[in-house]
Amino acid sequence: GNRNGFMRKNANLMAAMVISGIWHGAGINFILWGALHGLGLILYNIKNKFRPTPTNSHGASNLLARLLTFHYVCFAWIFFRASDFGSASVMLNKLTDISLTSLVSDSNAVIVWLFIILVSVYPQWARIKASLVSTVEKLPWYAYPVPLVAFLTLVFMFAPAGVPGFIYANF
C-alpha cells in the first residue's frame, strides 16, 4: 500500500501504529500511545517531503532533532505506562508542576543533571568509540585476543546475575 502515494503511505503508517498500540493492550491509553507514535512518524514524513534531512547533518540542528524526538517519545510513553487514561492525566498534570527550583533541589534533580551531562558529552564519546574501533582494526590478527578478553571480562563483571523475565509474559 505504500506505493500508492504519500497520503496512502501515511494512512497505512498510522493504522500500523494504532494496531501496534492495540497489540500491547486493549485500553484507550495503548491506542493513544500507538496513535502518538504514528502521528510523530507522519510529521517526520511531512517534514522530509518538504525539507529533506541532509545525510551529513551535524551540529545544533542534529542535537535539537534528537532532543525533540526523545522528548516526544517520552511524552508518548506516559500513555503506555499509565494503567488508564485517568492515570495518564495525573502524570501530565504533574509535568506542569516543574519549576526551576525543583530542578535544583528536587530528588530527581540528579537524574536531570546526569541526562544533561550525557547529552553534552555524547559527541565526544562517539568520537572516542570511533577512534577505539579504528585502533583495534589496525591490530595484527594475533593481538585480537587481548582486547576481546578485556571486553568480555568487563561484560561479565557488570552483567546482572540471573535470567531476566520474559517481557511479554503478562500479556
Side-chain angles (χ1 to χ4, degrees), residues 91-110:
M91 288 184 206
L92 291 172
N93 285 333
K94 292 289 184 182
L95 284 175
T96 61
D97 292 341
I98 295 175
S99 65
L100 186 58
T101 56
S102 70
L103 289 178
V104 177
S105 61
D106 192 31
S107 61
N108 292 327
V110 173

Side-chain angles (χ1 to χ4, degrees), residues 43-55:
L43 291 173
Y44 177 76
N45 286 341
I46 291 170
K47 180 250 175 221
N48 271 348
K49 180 175 181 161
F50 296 108
R51 188 170 175 198
T53 304
T55 56

Side-chain angles (χ1 to χ4, degrees), residues 109-125:
V110 173
I111 295 170
V112 171
W113 287 110
L114 284 174
F115 175 74
I116 290 170
I117 291 168
L118 178 68
V119 167
S120 301
V121 301
Y122 179 77
Q124 289 79 16
W125 177 258

Side-chain angles (χ1 to χ4, degrees), residues 30-45:
F30 290 109
I31 295 169
L32 189 55
W33 171 78
L36 283 171
H37 280 295
L39 178 65
L41 290 169
I42 289 170
L43 291 173
Y44 177 76
N45 286 341

Side-chain angles (χ1 to χ4, degrees), residues 56-116:
N56 59 353
S57 74
H58 297 292
S61 65
N62 194 16
L63 178 63
L64 180 63
R66 288 178 187 211
L67 286 173
L68 285 173
T69 301
F70 175 81
H71 285 89
Y72 184 83
V73 170
C74 286
F75 172 77
W77 276 101
I78 290 172
F79 298 97
F80 188 89
R81 171 66 177 89
S83 58
D84 56 20
F85 191 73
S87 299
S89 296
V90 170
M91 288 184 206
L92 291 172
N93 285 333
K94 292 289 184 182
L95 284 175
T96 61
D97 292 341
I98 295 175
S99 65
L100 186 58
T101 56
S102 70
L103 289 178
V104 177
S105 61
D106 192 31
S107 61
N108 292 327
V110 173
I111 295 170
V112 171
W113 287 110
L114 284 174
F115 175 74
I116 290 170

